[in-house]
Amino acid sequence: MVQKLSRRLFLSIGTAFTVVVGSQLLSSCGQSPDAPIVDTPGEQQEINLYSSRHYNTDNELYAKFTEETGIKVNLIEGKADELLERIKSEGANSPADVLLTVDLARLWRAEEDGIFQPVESEILQTSIPEYLRSPDGMWFGFTKRARVIMYNKAKVKPEELSTYEELADPKWKGRVIIRSSSNEYNQSLVASLIVADGEQSTLEWAKGFVSNFAREPQGNDTAQIEAVSSGEADLTLANTYYMGRLLESEDPAKKAIAENVGVFFPNQEGRGAHVNVSGVGVVKTAPNREGAVKFIEFLVSEPAQAFLAQNNYEYPVLAGVPLNKSVASFGEFKSDTTNLDKLGPALAPATKIMNEAGWK
């Protein structure tokens, strides 16, 4: 019911969407990071949004924001690192109001590079759990994604699984696959292990984990799930929303892939499963700071949170918002509530440990 109502709500604004992502948007599909921003003085208030999220459904949210506030959204899409470099190169003259990206690692780098400015907002402080936002108001998580164990149902029983740390046990030798160490999702996960267990213990874990690999790291999270489903390996670590996509696909073959794979939330008897975020912050030189804050507050409103949960298969940060039915089928779980900001200083040691352990 929530999904139906949410989509009718957002899809009913086609006219507004045309205005937002038509000629006034830099591109309805997102502009390349090197393209210039065209100033349009005298027109309605606007914000310039630099985003490394590439989900078509997000455009519907931006249209709804414009309808509610009268603030036009100029969307500039690109890879996270490219957008960070663009903002730095633009310096004090950057037209960027908001930077939106995924994973704590990218948010931390942006904060360290001085790209964000602090924001004080009662709405954001009350809507977003403390562990999912910067203690200094520099960035705010607006969706959660859990990085969990996904296993071949025919080869692994759930009772065989327990923690991330246990995946270094020799019983998993030749049975594990995962994407590369250059992936921020993996770097943030290993950083969480450092915070929980210390660097030396994490190094020993990483060596054991790598020794259990069935193949060299390759591909994205979807590729890992597909390989586990086919029997190439027994288990992997992946973000939950990838499984949601497969289960909700209109392609029967993709659904069949997902149906062979189970979802297990690790460390439920301890600190809980590792979660990360899609996050957003106000750029230090934002020409429209007020509009930027309104935009972030909109992202954690109940309608926006419901839309993101239903259509992007992510976990909402706002309490009480219903989950997508496929995501809900994974079951309830305990999250690691260590403030993500504490993972930032552990990111560099995490990368060093992964390299030392031979995680390519």
Side-chain angles (χ1 to χ4, degrees), residues 156-197:
V156 178
K157 294 180 174 62
E159 52 267 30
E160 296 180 76
L161 303 167
S162 59
T163 66
Y164 297 106
E165 288 85 347
E166 193 268 343
L167 296 178
D169 190 290
K171 77 177 185 180
W172 300 113
K173 190 170 185 64
R175 303 174 68 184
V176 179
I177 57 172
I178 197 165
R179 64 197 296 176
S180 77
S181 61
S182 63
N183 173 250
E184 284 86 354
Y185 302 152
N186 287 336
Q187 292 170 2
S188 294
L189 173 64
V190 175
S192 76
L193 291 171
I194 290 174
V195 171
D197 303 328

Short mmCIF file of all heavy atoms in Angstrom, two decimals, residues 156-197:
data_model
loop_
_atom_site.label_atom_id
_atom_site.label_comp_id
_atom_site.label_asym_id
_atom_site.label_seq_id
_atom_site.Cartn_x
_atom_site.Cartn_y
_atom_site.Cartn_z
N VAL A 156 25.28 -23.79 2.08
CA VAL A 156 25.56 -23.25 3.42
C VAL A 156 24.27 -23.20 4.22
O VAL A 156 23.23 -22.77 3.71
CB VAL A 156 26.16 -21.83 3.32
CG1 VAL A 156 26.40 -21.26 4.72
CG2 VAL A 156 27.46 -21.84 2.52
N LYS A 157 24.36 -23.61 5.46
CA LYS A 157 23.22 -23.49 6.37
C LYS A 157 23.41 -22.23 7.22
O LYS A 157 24.53 -21.93 7.66
CB LYS A 157 23.13 -24.72 7.28
CG LYS A 157 22.81 -26.01 6.55
CD LYS A 157 22.72 -27.17 7.54
CE LYS A 157 22.26 -28.46 6.85
NZ LYS A 157 23.22 -28.87 5.80
N PRO A 158 22.35 -21.49 7.49
CA PRO A 158 22.48 -20.26 8.28
C PRO A 158 23.16 -20.48 9.62
O PRO A 158 23.90 -19.62 10.10
CB PRO A 158 21.03 -19.80 8.46
CG PRO A 158 20.27 -20.42 7.34
CD PRO A 158 20.96 -21.72 7.04
N GLU A 159 22.93 -21.65 10.23
CA GLU A 159 23.52 -21.90 11.54
C GLU A 159 25.04 -22.07 11.47
O GLU A 159 25.71 -22.07 12.51
CB GLU A 159 22.89 -23.13 12.19
CG GLU A 159 22.86 -24.38 11.33
CD GLU A 159 21.55 -24.52 10.55
OE1 GLU A 159 20.92 -23.48 10.21
OE2 GLU A 159 21.17 -25.68 10.31
N GLU A 160 25.61 -22.20 10.27
CA GLU A 160 27.06 -22.25 10.12
C GLU A 160 27.69 -20.86 10.20
O GLU A 160 28.90 -20.74 10.33
CB GLU A 160 27.43 -22.88 8.78
CG GLU A 160 27.03 -24.32 8.58
CD GLU A 160 27.44 -24.82 7.22
OE1 GLU A 160 28.65 -25.09 7.03
OE2 GLU A 160 26.57 -24.92 6.33
N LEU A 161 26.88 -19.84 10.09
CA LEU A 161 27.36 -18.47 10.01
C LEU A 161 27.21 -17.76 11.35
O LEU A 161 26.32 -18.08 12.13
CB LEU A 161 26.59 -17.70 8.93
CG LEU A 161 26.64 -18.32 7.52
CD1 LEU A 161 25.60 -17.68 6.62
CD2 LEU A 161 28.04 -18.16 6.93
N SER A 162 28.09 -16.79 11.58
CA SER A 162 27.97 -16.03 12.84
C SER A 162 28.45 -14.59 12.71
O SER A 162 27.66 -13.66 12.80
CB SER A 162 28.72 -16.74 13.97
OG SER A 162 30.10 -16.89 13.64
N THR A 163 29.75 -14.38 12.46
CA THR A 163 30.33 -13.04 12.48
C THR A 163 31.17 -12.79 11.24
O THR A 163 31.54 -13.71 10.51
CB THR A 163 31.22 -12.84 13.72
OG1 THR A 163 32.35 -13.72 13.61
CG2 THR A 163 30.45 -13.12 15.01
N TYR A 164 31.51 -11.51 11.02
CA TYR A 164 32.48 -11.18 9.97
C TYR A 164 33.81 -11.85 10.31
O TYR A 164 34.49 -12.39 9.42
CB TYR A 164 32.68 -9.67 9.89
CG TYR A 164 31.46 -8.88 9.51
CD1 TYR A 164 30.77 -8.13 10.46
CD2 TYR A 164 31.00 -8.86 8.19
CE1 TYR A 164 29.65 -7.39 10.12
CE2 TYR A 164 29.88 -8.12 7.85
CZ TYR A 164 29.20 -7.39 8.81
OH TYR A 164 28.09 -6.67 8.47
N GLU A 165 34.19 -11.78 11.57
CA GLU A 165 35.49 -12.31 12.00
C GLU A 165 35.60 -13.80 11.71
O GLU A 165 36.68 -14.29 11.33
CB GLU A 165 35.68 -12.05 13.50
CG GLU A 165 35.95 -10.60 13.87
CD GLU A 165 34.69 -9.75 14.05
OE1 GLU A 165 33.60 -10.20 13.66
OE2 GLU A 165 34.80 -8.63 14.58
N GLU A 166 34.50 -14.53 11.81
CA GLU A 166 34.53 -15.98 11.63
C GLU A 166 34.79 -16.39 10.18
O GLU A 166 35.16 -17.54 9.91
CB GLU A 166 33.19 -16.56 12.13
CG GLU A 166 33.14 -18.06 12.30
CD GLU A 166 32.63 -18.78 11.05
OE1 GLU A 166 32.02 -18.09 10.20
OE2 GLU A 166 32.82 -20.00 10.96
N LEU A 167 34.65 -15.45 9.25
CA LEU A 167 34.87 -15.77 7.84
C LEU A 167 36.35 -16.01 7.53
O LEU A 167 36.69 -16.43 6.43
CB LEU A 167 34.34 -14.65 6.95
CG LEU A 167 32.82 -14.44 7.01
CD1 LEU A 167 32.41 -13.27 6.11
CD2 LEU A 167 32.08 -15.71 6.60
N ALA A 168 37.22 -15.76 8.50
CA ALA A 168 38.64 -16.09 8.33
C ALA A 168 38.94 -17.52 8.73
O ALA A 168 40.08 -17.99 8.54
CB ALA A 168 39.49 -15.12 9.16
N ASP A 169 37.96 -18.24 9.24
CA ASP A 169 38.16 -19.62 9.65
C ASP A 169 38.51 -20.49 8.44
O ASP A 169 37.91 -20.35 7.37
CB ASP A 169 36.88 -20.14 10.30
CG ASP A 169 37.09 -21.48 10.99
OD1 ASP A 169 37.29 -22.49 10.27
OD2 ASP A 169 37.03 -21.53 12.22
N PRO A 170 39.48 -21.41 8.56
CA PRO A 170 39.88 -22.26 7.44
C PRO A 170 38.75 -23.11 6.86
O PRO A 170 38.87 -23.60 5.73
CB PRO A 170 40.97 -23.15 8.05
CG PRO A 170 41.52 -22.35 9.18
CD PRO A 170 40.36 -21.59 9.74
N LYS A 171 37.66 -23.27 7.58
CA LYS A 171 36.55 -24.07 7.04
C LYS A 171 35.95 -23.45 5.79
O LYS A 171 35.27 -24.12 5.01
CB LYS A 171 35.47 -24.29 8.09
CG LYS A 171 34.57 -23.10 8.36
CD LYS A 171 33.48 -23.43 9.38
CE LYS A 171 32.50 -22.30 9.57
NZ LYS A 171 31.45 -22.62 10.55
N TRP A 172 36.22 -22.15 5.57
CA TRP A 172 35.70 -21.46 4.39
C TRP A 172 36.71 -21.39 3.25
O TRP A 172 36.48 -20.70 2.27
CB TRP A 172 35.26 -20.03 4.77
CG TRP A 172 34.19 -20.00 5.82
CD1 TRP A 172 34.30 -19.52 7.09
CD2 TRP A 172 32.85 -20.46 5.69
NE1 TRP A 172 33.11 -19.66 7.76
CE2 TRP A 172 32.20 -20.23 6.93
CE3 TRP A 172 32.12 -21.04 4.65
CZ2 TRP A 172 30.87 -20.57 7.15
CZ3 TRP A 172 30.79 -21.38 4.88
CH2 TRP A 172 30.18 -21.15 6.10
N LYS A 173 37.81 -22.11 3.36
CA LYS A 173 38.86 -22.05 2.34
C LYS A 173 38.30 -22.42 0.97
O LYS A 173 37.66 -23.46 0.80
CB LYS A 173 40.02 -22.97 2.70
CG LYS A 173 41.25 -22.77 1.81
CD LYS A 173 42.44 -23.52 2.35
CE LYS A 173 43.70 -23.23 1.54
NZ LYS A 173 44.11 -21.82 1.63
N GLY A 174 38.55 -21.57 -0.01
CA GLY A 174 38.08 -21.79 -1.37
C GLY A 174 36.59 -21.60 -1.57
O GLY A 174 36.05 -21.96 -2.61
N ARG A 175 35.93 -20.97 -0.59
CA ARG A 175 34.47 -20.87 -0.65
C ARG A 175 33.97 -19.42 -0.67
O ARG A 175 32.77 -19.19 -0.79
CB ARG A 175 33.87 -21.59 0.56
CG ARG A 175 34.29 -23.05 0.66
CD ARG A 175 33.79 -23.70 1.94
NE ARG A 175 32.33 -23.85 1.95
CZ ARG A 175 31.64 -24.31 2.99
NH1 ARG A 175 32.27 -24.65 4.12
NH2 ARG A 175 30.33 -24.43 2.91
N VAL A 176 34.88 -18.44 -0.57
CA VAL A 176 34.49 -17.03 -0.42
C VAL A 176 34.90 -16.21 -1.64
O VAL A 176 36.00 -16.39 -2.17
CB VAL A 176 35.16 -16.42 0.84
CG1 VAL A 176 34.79 -14.95 0.98
CG2 VAL A 176 34.78 -17.20 2.08
N ILE A 177 34.03 -15.32 -2.08
CA ILE A 177 34.39 -14.35 -3.11
C ILE A 177 33.96 -12.96 -2.64
O ILE A 177 33.08 -12.82 -1.79
CB ILE A 177 33.73 -14.65 -4.47
CG1 ILE A 177 32.21 -14.72 -4.33
CG2 ILE A 177 34.30 -15.93 -5.07
CD1 ILE A 177 31.49 -14.84 -5.67
N ILE A 178 34.59 -11.92 -3.20
CA ILE A 178 34.28 -10.55 -2.83
C ILE A 178 34.89 -9.61 -3.85
O ILE A 178 35.78 -10.00 -4.61
CB ILE A 178 34.82 -10.23 -1.41
CG1 ILE A 178 34.15 -8.98 -0.84
CG2 ILE A 178 36.33 -10.13 -1.41
CD1 ILE A 178 34.34 -8.80 0.65
N ARG A 179 34.39 -8.38 -3.89
CA ARG A 179 34.97 -7.42 -4.83
C ARG A 179 36.29 -6.87 -4.28
O ARG A 179 36.70 -7.19 -3.17
CB ARG A 179 33.97 -6.31 -5.14
CG ARG A 179 33.57 -5.44 -3.99
CD ARG A 179 32.30 -4.65 -4.27
NE ARG A 179 32.42 -3.70 -5.37
CZ ARG A 179 31.41 -2.96 -5.83
NH1 ARG A 179 30.19 -3.08 -5.30
NH2 ARG A 179 31.57 -2.11 -6.81
N SER A 180 36.95 -6.00 -5.03
CA SER A 180 38.33 -5.64 -4.75
C SER A 180 38.49 -4.77 -3.51
O SER A 180 37.54 -4.17 -3.00
CB SER A 180 38.93 -4.91 -5.95
OG SER A 180 38.46 -3.57 -5.99
N SER A 181 39.74 -4.66 -3.07
CA SER A 181 40.06 -3.84 -1.91
C SER A 181 39.95 -2.36 -2.21
O SER A 181 39.92 -1.53 -1.29
CB SER A 181 41.47 -4.15 -1.42
OG SER A 181 42.43 -3.87 -2.43
N SER A 182 39.91 -1.98 -3.48
CA SER A 182 39.77 -0.58 -3.85
C SER A 182 38.34 -0.09 -3.68
O SER A 182 38.07 1.12 -3.74
CB SER A 182 40.21 -0.35 -5.30
OG SER A 182 39.37 -1.07 -6.20
N ASN A 183 37.42 -0.99 -3.44
CA ASN A 183 36.02 -0.63 -3.27
C ASN A 183 35.78 -0.01 -1.89
O ASN A 183 36.15 -0.58 -0.87
CB ASN A 183 35.15 -1.87 -3.45
CG ASN A 183 33.70 -1.61 -3.13
OD1 ASN A 183 33.19 -2.10 -2.13
ND2 ASN A 183 33.01 -0.83 -3.95
N GLU A 184 35.13 1.16 -1.88
CA GLU A 184 34.91 1.88 -0.62
C GLU A 184 34.05 1.11 0.35
O GLU A 184 34.22 1.21 1.57
CB GLU A 184 34.29 3.26 -0.90
CG GLU A 184 35.25 4.30 -1.44
CD GLU A 184 35.40 4.24 -2.96
OE1 GLU A 184 34.82 3.31 -3.57
OE2 GLU A 184 36.08 5.12 -3.51
N TYR A 185 33.08 0.33 -0.16
CA TYR A 185 32.25 -0.46 0.75
C TYR A 185 33.10 -1.41 1.59
O TYR A 185 32.89 -1.57 2.79
CB TYR A 185 31.21 -1.28 -0.03
CG TYR A 185 30.29 -0.49 -0.93
CD1 TYR A 185 29.75 -1.07 -2.07
CD2 TYR A 185 29.94 0.82 -0.64
CE1 TYR A 185 28.89 -0.37 -2.90
CE2 TYR A 185 29.08 1.53 -1.46
CZ TYR A 185 28.56 0.93 -2.61
OH TYR A 185 27.71 1.62 -3.42
N ASN A 186 34.07 -2.05 0.92
CA ASN A 186 34.94 -2.98 1.64
C ASN A 186 35.91 -2.25 2.57
O ASN A 186 36.21 -2.71 3.67
CB ASN A 186 35.73 -3.85 0.66
CG ASN A 186 34.86 -4.90 0.00
OD1 ASN A 186 33.82 -5.29 0.54
ND2 ASN A 186 35.25 -5.35 -1.18
N GLN A 187 36.38 -1.09 2.13
CA GLN A 187 37.28 -0.31 2.98
C GLN A 187 36.58 0.13 4.26
O GLN A 187 37.16 0.06 5.35
CB GLN A 187 37.80 0.90 2.21
CG GLN A 187 38.73 0.55 1.06
CD GLN A 187 39.05 1.73 0.17
OE1 GLN A 187 38.61 2.86 0.41
NE2 GLN A 187 39.81 1.49 -0.89
N SER A 188 35.33 0.55 4.13
CA SER A 188 34.58 0.98 5.32
C SER A 188 34.30 -0.20 6.24
O SER A 188 34.33 -0.06 7.48
CB SER A 188 33.28 1.65 4.90
OG SER A 188 33.53 2.86 4.21
N LEU A 189 34.01 -1.37 5.66
CA LEU A 189 33.79 -2.56 6.49
C LEU A 189 35.04 -2.91 7.28
O LEU A 189 34.97 -3.17 8.49
CB LEU A 189 33.37 -3.73 5.61
CG LEU A 189 33.29 -5.08 6.33
CD1 LEU A 189 32.20 -5.06 7.41
CD2 LEU A 189 33.04 -6.21 5.34
N VAL A 190 36.19 -2.92 6.61
CA VAL A 190 37.44 -3.26 7.31
C VAL A 190 37.76 -2.19 8.35
O VAL A 190 38.26 -2.50 9.44
CB VAL A 190 38.59 -3.44 6.30
CG1 VAL A 190 39.92 -3.67 7.03
CG2 VAL A 190 38.30 -4.62 5.37
N ALA A 191 37.46 -0.93 8.05
CA ALA A 191 37.65 0.13 9.05
C ALA A 191 36.80 -0.14 10.28
O ALA A 191 37.24 0.09 11.42
CB ALA A 191 37.29 1.49 8.44
N SER A 192 35.59 -0.66 10.08
CA SER A 192 34.73 -0.97 11.23
C SER A 192 35.32 -2.11 12.06
O SER A 192 35.18 -2.13 13.29
CB SER A 192 33.31 -1.33 10.76
OG SER A 192 33.25 -2.63 10.21
N LEU A 193 36.00 -3.05 11.40
CA LEU A 193 36.66 -4.14 12.13
C LEU A 193 37.84 -3.61 12.94
O LEU A 193 38.09 -4.06 14.06
CB LEU A 193 37.14 -5.20 11.15
CG LEU A 193 36.04 -6.02 10.46
CD1 LEU A 193 36.65 -6.89 9.36
CD2 LEU A 193 35.30 -6.89 11.45
N ILE A 194 38.56 -2.63 12.37
CA ILE A 194 39.67 -2.02 13.10
C ILE A 194 39.16 -1.33 14.36
O ILE A 194 39.74 -1.47 15.44
CB ILE A 194 40.42 -1.02 12.20
CG1 ILE A 194 41.18 -1.76 11.09
CG2 ILE A 194 41.38 -0.16 13.03
CD1 ILE A 194 41.83 -0.85 10.07
N VAL A 195 38.07 -0.59 14.23
CA VAL A 195 37.51 0.12 15.38
C VAL A 195 37.05 -0.88 16.44
O VAL A 195 37.22 -0.67 17.64
CB VAL A 195 36.34 1.03 14.94
CG1 VAL A 195 35.60 1.59 16.15
CG2 VAL A 195 36.86 2.17 14.06
N ALA A 196 36.49 -2.00 15.99
CA ALA A 196 35.96 -3.00 16.93
C ALA A 196 37.06 -3.88 17.53
O ALA A 196 37.02 -4.19 18.73
CB ALA A 196 34.93 -3.88 16.23
N ASP A 197 38.05 -4.29 16.70
CA ASP A 197 38.98 -5.34 17.13
C ASP A 197 40.44 -4.89 17.22
O ASP A 197 41.27 -5.64 17.75
CB ASP A 197 38.90 -6.52 16.15
CG ASP A 197 37.50 -7.09 16.03
OD1 ASP A 197 36.76 -7.06 17.03
OD2 ASP A 197 37.13 -7.56 14.92
#
